[in-house]
Amino acid sequence: RIFYPTMPDNWKETLFIWDGIFSVKKPSKEGDPSDIKWSGTWVGVDEADATKIDAPRRGAFDASVESDMTFEVEGTVASTGNDKDDGGAGPFTANLTGGSGWDLQDDGAESKSKHSDTVHDVHLQQLRWLGSPDKTANLIFARGNNNFAPFISVGWMRPGNRITLARRYLDDTDPRSKWDLEDLKKAVLEEICSGSEGKDVVTPPWKCSVMHLEDQTAKRRKVEEQKDAEEKE
């Protein structure tokens, strides 16, 4: 089900999975944002139901998931909490609209072309892999827009400062296209977290209805409200 350049009739059925190494450069002046870079490869999986999509496999000696499609995005990150951006607890907000961008080969095109996002905001709890028993500390959420459509992304950080994010493009009329990062984070955590202290988290974290092609959040909440009402009777 993995594709490289060809797309389904509705190209938004494709979940784009980006996988690569995230690096942080400390600022020369304390208090300034840190420069960041994330580079690797991406693959697309044609599936409207995100719960059916596993993480792409990477060879034991490969730096990235095998793909002809690469990306290299850069930007800055700053703490939104009280901690210094030294890899400690966050949260942090990053902007990744710089760099050379990402590859795409349109149907019928003979070669790849480079594209960039006009908006790509990312929420991280940490800037370096720390091996925390709290699995929610590794989760990453993003939202953005480009010449094609608005999008949301969900993924996680893994050993070696590897970030894997799944991107779902949305219609302009989709309510999720208006969400901020906190809206996205809350909706995803409601579905994928169970137990206490964040130790039970669905992986990959995009396996939730929030990342389906069609918006399911209103439908799910209506079911939950009906269930609550029945329990109170």
Side-chain angles (χ1 to χ4, degrees), residues 58-84:
R58 176 176 54 87
F61 300 102
D62 295 334
S64 302
V65 172
E66 183 178 357
S67 173
D68 293 331
M69 302 295 158
T70 67
F71 69 88
E72 183 176 287
V73 291
E74 300 175 356
T76 58
V77 64
S79 173
T80 55
N82 296 320
D83 296 290
K84 308 294 184 185

Side-chain angles (χ1 to χ4, degrees), residues 12 150 152 168-179 210 212-217:
K12 294 186 180 75
I152 55 174
R168 175 71 77 186
Y169 282 98
L170 308 169
D171 290 331
D172 289 330
T173 57
D174 191 308
R176 293 171 294 177
S177 69
K178 305 298 189 293
W179 284 0
V210 174
H212 286 354
L213 172 64
E214 300 294 338
D215 178 35
Q216 304 289 319
T217 51

